[in-house]
Structures are given as structure tokens and as C-alpha cells.
Amino acid sequence: MSHGGARWTILVVRPDDVDSHRFALTRGRILLGVVAVLAVLAAAAAAGRWSALRERPAQIAALEARIDSLHGEALKVARLAATLEQLEASYARLRAVMSGEVLPSARDILLPAVEPGGQRSAPADGSDTGRPALWPLVESGFVTRTFGDSAAGATLHRGLDIAVPSGSYIRASGAGRVVEAGEDREYGRFVRLEHGDGVRSLYAHASWVLVAPGDEVEAGDVIALSGNTGRSTAPHLHLEIERNGEPVDPLPWVTGRL
């Protein structure tokens, strides 16, 4: 390659060819070529940056959607944790009740008074009487067996079993007359009330019976203390309601609270 002044000559010779090729370059052409190469490189870089900028909103939207999804999953986990905590507390209380470790609560030391004019839920058939409508316990208790349930080799369950600590107050679910109060092999100590119109209620497995046949009781009167007598494996109240001699599900009836 030779040069002089502002002109360069490039000689290209192929090994198997006698001919040679000469290229004359000026400073202007070289500068123009350099500028062109730089322009191409700059354009490529700009195109890459533009493509990245165009993709960035989509990436941001995807990240925001992922964050929202994770937030929703976190809320679900928190709700599940709260539900689990409640279930564990209920299980611990039920286990204590079933093992007989729980004593009546402090508010049960004195007989709670019946509130005058308290609302009472009517039976499911809509009849408006003073028949069984109140929850029969001061303690809420835990329903462990419902009406119609059947254990292996056993007949259909005629009532409602509610697990409560021994010594909890059993209330009359409705006003009526005591027609039976005693003890037998199946129900243990029990009370049966006559409410009129062929409706009766039975309260079984009591530890103590506080009324006698012929007594008149009002809805909410304490008639017995819960226990584990008769055919029973843990402290609970067995409640039955009969209408014209046929058992009915007590749960829709005894929804009222004092």
C-alpha cells in the first residue's frame, strides 16, 4: 500500500493470478466509510434499545400481575391459617369436654334469670305456641350427633346429642308440665315435658334432675344438670322432640336464645 498526500492506493494480488487490482482511496472516502460503519452500529444499538423499551411495559405488566397473584395467595393462606386456628381451639375444647376435664364456667355458678319478652323461634311448621323453641343449654355445646344419624348396627338416632361439660344447666326449651322424671338404662337420668298439642320434649343423660312429675315449668327454667349417665360414653345432653308420638328433628325448633 502506498500513500502520498491525501491519497492511498491498495494493491490486491491473488497467488494464482498474474493480474493485480488497484484501489485508490482518498481521505474523504475513508472517513465516509468510517462514518457509515459507525452509523450502522449506532442504528443497531438504537434498534436494540427500542426493542427493549417496547418490551418493558409488557414485562412490567407481567410482574404486576404476578405480584397481584402472590398477594391473593397470601390472603388465602392467612384466611386458612385463621380457620385452622379456630378449628384447633374448637377441637381442644371439645376434647376437654369429652374427657370430662372442663368444669362449668363461672357464669354458671348462679342460675341465669330468664329474660322477659325474649324472642323465641317458632317450630319449622310455623305454628306459634310456647312449645320447644329455646336452645336447652346455657353453654352452647357441640352437636356431636344429629337427628337420623345411624351408627353401625344401631337404629336411626331419634334426637340431638350436644357435648357439654358435666354439671351444665339444662333448660326447658318451652313451657310445659313434667310428665316423667327419673332414670332408666338407656337414657340415664332424664326429664320428659308435655307442651300441649301432642308435643313432648326429652332431656337425657343428666347427672341431676331438679324437677318432679307434675311440676309446671316455664321456657328457660333449669330442670336438670348435664352428665354422663345411662348409655353414654361422654358428658352430653340428648334432646328429643316428639309430635303426636313421632320423633322430629329438634334442630330447626330450638334455635332461640334467652
Side-chain angles (χ1 to χ4, degrees), residues 106-140:
R107 66 188 177 92
D108 286 340
I109 294 176
L110 297 177
L111 295 179
V114 178
E115 295 180 6
Q119 294 182 351
R120 301 174 182 178
S121 300
D125 64 353
S127 58
D128 184 15
T129 72
R131 288 174 290 172
L134 299 179
W135 189 249
L137 293 160
V138 174
E139 297 283 349
S140 296

Side-chain angles (χ1 to χ4, degrees), residues 1-256:
M1 178 176 67
S2 63
H3 61 85
R7 188 180 183 86
W8 286 266
T9 301
I10 299 175
L11 179 63
V12 179
V13 179
R14 295 175 56 184
D16 57 350
D17 193 348
V18 296
D19 295 332
S20 61
H21 302 275
R22 294 174 181 270
F23 298 93
L25 297 176
T26 63
R27 182 179 295 177
R29 288 181 178 180
I30 293 174
L31 291 175
L32 183 61
V34 170
V35 170
V37 171
L38 292 176
V40 171
L41 292 176
R49 286 196 298 270
W50 175 249
S51 177
L53 289 174
R54 291 184 60 187
E55 293 176 357
R56 185 168 298 174
Q59 294 173 349
I60 293 173
L63 288 174
E64 290 177 345
R66 180 58 178 165
I67 291 171
D68 290 341
S69 176
L70 292 174
H71 182 64
E73 294 297 328
L75 290 178
K76 290 180 181 179
V77 170
R79 286 195 292 266
L80 288 174
T83 301
L84 179 60
E85 184 176 354
Q86 293 174 354
L87 290 175
E88 288 177 344
S90 297
Y91 173 73
R93 186 181 175 195
L94 178 58
R95 183 176 58 185
V97 168
M98 299 298 287
S99 63
E101 297 173 359
V102 177
L103 297 176
S105 64
R107 66 188 177 92
D108 286 340
I109 294 176
L110 297 177
L111 295 179
V114 178
E115 295 180 6
Q119 294 182 351
R120 301 174 182 178
S121 300
D125 64 353
S127 58
D128 184 15
T129 72
R131 288 174 290 172
L134 299 179
W135 189 249
L137 293 160
V138 174
E139 297 283 349
S140 296
F142 297 86
V143 175
T144 57
R145 195 175 179 192
T146 56
F147 178 81
D149 286 351
S150 60
T155 58
L156 292 180
H157 197 232
R158 292 173 55 91
L160 194 67
D161 285 351
I162 310 166
V164 288
S166 292
S168 297
Y169 292 118
I170 300 174
R171 296 181 182 273
S173 289
R177 181 173 59 88
V178 179
V179 292
E180 289 185 82
E183 184 173 2
D184 73 8
R185 188 172 183 179
E186 179 72 20
Y187 291 127
R189 296 188 178 97
F190 71 96
V191 176
R192 192 186 303 272
L193 302 180
E194 172 71 58
H195 302 281
D197 292 335
V199 178
R200 290 186 170 190
S201 59
L202 171 75
Y203 312 80
H205 305 302
S207 58
W208 292 93
V209 171
L210 306 177
V211 292
D215 288 349
E216 298 287 339
V217 298
E218 296 294 329
D221 284 353
V222 176
I223 58 176
L225 302 180
S226 63
N228 190 30
T229 59
R231 184 175 294 179
S232 172
T233 57
H236 75 285
L237 168 66
H238 173 80
L239 173 67
E240 291 183 12
I241 295 179
E242 291 182 352
R243 189 170 191 181
N244 298 323
E246 294 296 326
V248 297
D249 186 359
L251 201 53
W253 290 58
V254 293
T255 57

